[in-house]
Amino acid sequence: MARLCKPAVGVPEYVITMEETLEFARRTHSGKPQLPLALRLIKNTGVRTRHLVQPVEETLRHPGLAERNRIYEVESKKRTPPVIEEALGNAGVAAREVDAIIYVSCTGFLMPSLTAWLINRMGFRSDTRQIPIAQLGCAAGGAAVNRAHDFCLAHPGSNVLIVSCELCSLCYQPGDDNIGALLSDGLFGDAVAAAVVRGTGGTGIDLDANASYLIPHTEDWISYAVRETGFHFQLDRRVPGTMEPLAPVLRQFAKDHTLDAANLDFYIVHAGGPRILDDLATFLDVDRKVFRHSWATLTEHGNIASAVVLDAARRLFEEDTPAPHATGLIAGFGPGITAEMALGHWHTDTPHTTTHHA
């Protein structure tokens, strides 16, 4: 058994509104021919607010890759522990009962992974497995859920902690003025999220099956160009259309497990942007309202990369409790173009103390 318990999510204290974003874009990229189109695209994202780890004036500066990565280390160590503590509490699991930590992030680089620091600082056992995932971008949230599921299948009774730390604002490149870069400047936000996948007990989503799919020959559609100034986000104009080829994959995945992708009880999907959600609703033949949790994340936090699926899942938990055995889909999309998919059903269990399984 592998059961995804209620995630915890934390967002930084510095807030930027859409109106402020548009004003900064006008000032920073004044006179650029792409600016009018970029402003229209930013307005159409529906992102009302985003949260940043620094005041926007500091975000707009570029102190260099080394300083940005130093800030990433400081902020990740500051912001992950309280979110992890909340996630452990939500699951009714102690740190010493965690058998593996999956850490996902695409916005900074540490070696050893932050997992080593967390184990040393937060009371996790020294034999806790470390599974850092750094290069799946926005798909990594779904991948983390799937790898936690796999771990629990391979090691029955184990508990896996998922941690996502995405400080997207540290990748802002003021000198980039292509449409993809300008759009991303108004779309991405910062957040930390965590969740426990329990091997026994707890309340949440029982993970029944998972799968991955890569659209052939699209590996350069979402990418980083790594330069002296850091990570430069590159977005191909064809990316918003990827739901048309991915929807049949999701439908077949559900069908293979005797479910109808158009008739599930809940949907937790990556909110890459409004076009992604609208197209997925169209090609799955569902009402766009079934993605209400993803829409809420997009509106309130922007695209928070791998943390989106955990934040959307948190909103499901905080809504009216799903009926027993309600079925649902979890899906993350990212570079590759990669889709990470999971099917599950709702299960409520009476709380009890877990015991460690070696």
Side-chain angles (χ1 to χ4, degrees), residues 194-218:
V196 173
V197 174
R198 285 181 54 153
T200 59
T203 292
I205 302 170
D206 272 6
L207 302 170
D208 298 321
N210 73 66
S212 302
Y213 183 81
L214 184 143
I215 303 176
H217 310 301
T218 58

Side-chain angles (χ1 to χ4, degrees), residues 127-152:
D127 63 350
T128 304
R129 273 77 155 196
Q130 302 175 66
I131 310 173
I133 300 175
Q135 292 155 308
L136 278 177
C138 296
V145 172
N146 290 349
R147 299 297 77 78
H149 181 196
D150 293 342
F151 189 94
C152 288

Side-chain angles (χ1 to χ4, degrees), residues 151-188:
F151 189 94
C152 288
L153 291 178
H155 305 278
S158 295
N159 298 311
V160 180
L161 172 68
I162 297 168
V163 183
S164 165
C165 179
E166 298 291 15
L167 309 183
C168 302
S169 64
L170 297 180
C171 298
Y172 171 65
Q173 298 290 347
D176 291 356
D177 58 4
N178 60 76
I179 287 296
L182 291 173
L183 175 59
S184 71
D185 295 345
L187 181 63
F188 287 95

Side-chain angles (χ1 to χ4, degrees), residues 201-259:
T203 292
I205 302 170
D206 272 6
L207 302 170
D208 298 321
N210 73 66
S212 302
Y213 183 81
L214 184 143
I215 303 176
H217 310 301
T218 58
E219 69 269 21
D220 57 347
W221 287 20
I222 301 175
S223 63
Y224 276 164
V226 183
R227 301 173 186 153
E228 292 83 354
T229 46
F231 302 142
H232 292 250
F233 184 70
Q234 300 180 136
L235 183 70
D236 190 279
R237 60 183 176 81
R238 292 170 287 185
V239 168
T242 50
M243 291 304 100
E244 185 170 5
L246 284 179
V249 175
L250 293 169
R251 284 200 302 270
Q252 186 61 50
F253 173 51
K255 184 178 179 181
D256 289 344
H257 297 277
T258 68
L259 293 172

